[in-house]
Amino acid sequence: MLLEAIVICVLVTLGVIYFTSRKMWYTIGLTLLYQIKYHYIGFIYHLDDLFNARYNKTDLPIVPNKVAILTGGSRGIGAEVVKKLLQCDMEVIIACRTTTIGEKLILDIRRSGIARGRAKVYKLDNSSFESVREFVKKIKADYDRIHILINNAAIMFGPYKETIDGFEEQWAVNYLSHFLLTSLLLPLLKAGGIPGDCSRIINITSVAHYISDIDFASINNSSKNTFCTQAAYGQSKLAQTMFTITLQKLLIDKLLNVLVYSVHPGIVKTELFKNTLMGKNKWMMFKWKTPDQGATSIIYAALNKDIERKGGIYISNCKEAAIPSLALEEQIRKQLFELSLKQVQLNDFFQYL
């Protein structure tokens, strides 16, 4: 009887593994592959940050008449970007999910001795398209032009979760919400740009775009049963890079005085890594960039005059860097752009101009 029971248990277990767990084993294998890729690319670009540290610097020009919007500006790299923009005597709109954190940041910045600039906090939840539209409605009521839009808000390596709009969370927060936000704010960005001093859109990406792919099947049919969080994060960042190139070409065709850049801040020690091995063992982050150093390339892209009319480039350590080969494939970029329009329910990216 005992032998029969053991045989039955073994057969049932093997059957379960063979018939119902193939997707699980695929996901485990994909996860391990991406972990290897991330550790490799992270190590290479950590060395790149160290080697190119002497280039990672930029001026903070005084531009009191400019208005900037920064998503995810209440903490981490975003908070340091806010600080630097205020030092430029700009008006800075902190778009964040928890406004009390944004208000506290402003108080802390003022207490640190930075008195220049004006700062306001508006609620924006990047996981909700309704929140994006409500945010833009309020901005349009209060402003007639915007000069800089920094699409910075991001989450990384969380468990599978769908937003209220039905999209995988990293895809929606890191990419789709910024796609929609940029389209809705184009009238104000158009009004803010003039020849020789264009408005600028900064899409924050990552070196993860070098090791990632655009998997249209997973985008259209995301499922927790086949979900690899590392692949999803990299895909969202590659999409940001592709969006930058596509949008710049369209802006040129429309003869608009608006430039777009994608920026990799560097391998930066922030809470974004809380779900990683390094985040749980902070000693492994030794010699990583600080949030202040990570903010530098973003400010460079937003304000440096040397890159005026060089829209579409990818910037790392305040230098133009190589764009991943997949992002140069026009057909994939076109397919992604058309899918994005459909997902955020836009008929035309320029429909609000």
Side-chain angles (χ1 to χ4, degrees):
M1 182 70 69
L2 178 60
L3 180 60
E4 290 177 351
I6 293 173
V7 170
I8 291 172
C9 287
V10 170
L11 289 174
V12 169
T13 300
L14 290 174
V16 169
I17 292 174
Y18 181 77
F19 289 108
T20 67
S21 299
R22 281 177 288 180
K23 288 184 178 179
M24 181 188 72
W25 291 119
Y26 168 78
T27 303
I28 291 172
L30 188 62
T31 299
L32 289 173
L33 175 62
Y34 266 94
Q35 285 180 343
I36 293 170
K37 285 183 175 182
Y38 272 104
H39 282 91
Y40 169 76
I41 202 75
F43 175 73
I44 293 299
Y45 279 89
H46 170 54
L47 294 180
D48 183 75
D49 286 344
L50 294 174
F51 182 77
N52 290 300
R54 63 189 184 279
Y55 300 111
N56 192 54
K57 56 186 178 181
T58 190
D59 296 329
L60 298 177
I62 303 302
V63 283
N65 297 319
K66 288 187 180 287
V67 179
I69 293 177
L70 174 70
T71 68
S74 61
R75 62 182 72 191
I77 297 172
E80 296 300 324
V81 172
V82 170
K83 186 184 298 184
K84 291 178 184 296
L85 292 175
L86 288 175
Q87 287 176 279
C88 296
D89 204 18
M90 297 180 64
E91 182 159 349
V92 184
I93 297 167
I94 302 171
C96 58
R97 185 172 55 184
T98 307
T99 56
T100 52
I101 298 177
E103 297 289 356
K104 182 180 181 301
L105 171 65
I106 295 172
L107 288 175
D108 290 342
I109 290 174
R110 296 312 185 196
R111 287 169 182 161
S112 74
I114 297 174
R116 282 179 174 165
R118 289 85 53 211
K120 295 181 181 179
V121 180
Y122 286 72
K123 182 175 179 60
L124 172 61
D125 182 352
N126 280 73
S127 68
S128 165
F129 295 160
E130 181 181 356
S131 179
V132 172
R133 292 182 181 277
E134 186 61 28
F135 168 79
V136 172
K137 182 179 178 180
K138 291 178 181 178
I139 293 297
K140 287 183 175 179
D142 294 344
Y143 296 87
D144 61 3
R145 65 194 60 212
I146 296 294
H147 304 90
I148 299 168
L149 169 63
I150 303 175
N151 291 320
N152 168 73
I155 55 175
M156 186 173 77
F157 296 172
Y160 182 82
K161 182 179 179 182
E162 288 187 3
T163 65
I164 191 171
D165 301 292
F167 299 103
E168 190 277 317
E169 191 175 32
Q170 290 179 102
W171 181 248
V173 171
N174 300 356
Y175 170 62
L176 274 187
S177 63
H178 289 132
F179 183 94
L180 176 61
L181 178 65
T182 303
S183 174
L184 298 179
L185 287 175
L186 268 181
L188 300 189
L189 288 161
K190 176 185 176 182
I194 60 174
D197 192 12
C198 295
S199 296
R200 299 190 183 188
I201 301 163
I202 317 299
N203 291 323
I204 308 307
T205 184
S206 162
V207 292
H209 64 190
Y210 286 121
I211 60 170
S212 300
D213 194 4
I214 298 294
D215 184 351
F216 290 103
S218 72
I219 294 171
N220 286 307
N221 302 289
S222 59
S223 167
K224 64 181 179 181
N225 294 324
T226 57
F227 180 65
C228 172
T229 189
Q230 293 88 352
Y233 174 78
Q235 180 169 251
S236 71
K237 289 303 182 178
L238 176 58
Q240 282 283 73
T241 304
M242 288 184 162
F243 173 44
T244 299
I245 300 169
T246 302
L247 180 55
Q248 186 61 74
K249 291 179 181 295
L250 293 173
L251 291 169
I252 291 172
D253 291 342
K254 294 282 185 179
L255 302 177
L256 298 179
N257 294 305
V258 183
L259 298 168
V260 197
Y261 305 94
S262 58
V263 177
H264 166 56
I267 309 299
V268 184
K269 185 178 181 179
T270 70
E271 286 301 309
L272 197 63
F273 286 88
K274 64 183 179 181
N275 293 317
T276 70
L277 177 65
M278 284 74 70
K280 296 171 184 176
N281 297 274
K282 295 220 173 10
W283 61 270
M284 298 177 72
M285 296 182 175
F286 181 68
K287 287 293 184 179
W288 282 22
K289 275 185 175 180
T290 64
D292 175 74
Q293 292 168 329
T296 301
S297 281
I298 299 173
I299 297 297
Y300 174 86
L303 295 170
N304 187 273
K305 285 295 181 182
D306 293 339
I307 57 172
E308 183 78 15
R309 291 298 176 188
K310 292 185 69 178
I313 64 173
Y314 163 61
I315 295 167
S316 176
N317 286 310
C318 298
K319 297 193 305 177
E320 182 176 353
I323 292 172
S325 58
L326 191 63
L328 298 174
E329 295 190 21
E330 187 173 357
Q331 183 55 43
I332 297 179
R333 291 203 314 269
K334 181 180 179 182
Q335 186 178 353
L336 173 64
F337 196 81
E338 290 174 351
L339 175 63
S340 303
L341 287 173
K342 182 179 178 180
Q343 290 185 327
V344 300
Q345 298 182 12
L346 289 174
N347 296 319
D348 179 353
F349 194 82
F350 297 92
Q351 70 188 60
Y352 292 101
L353 279 182

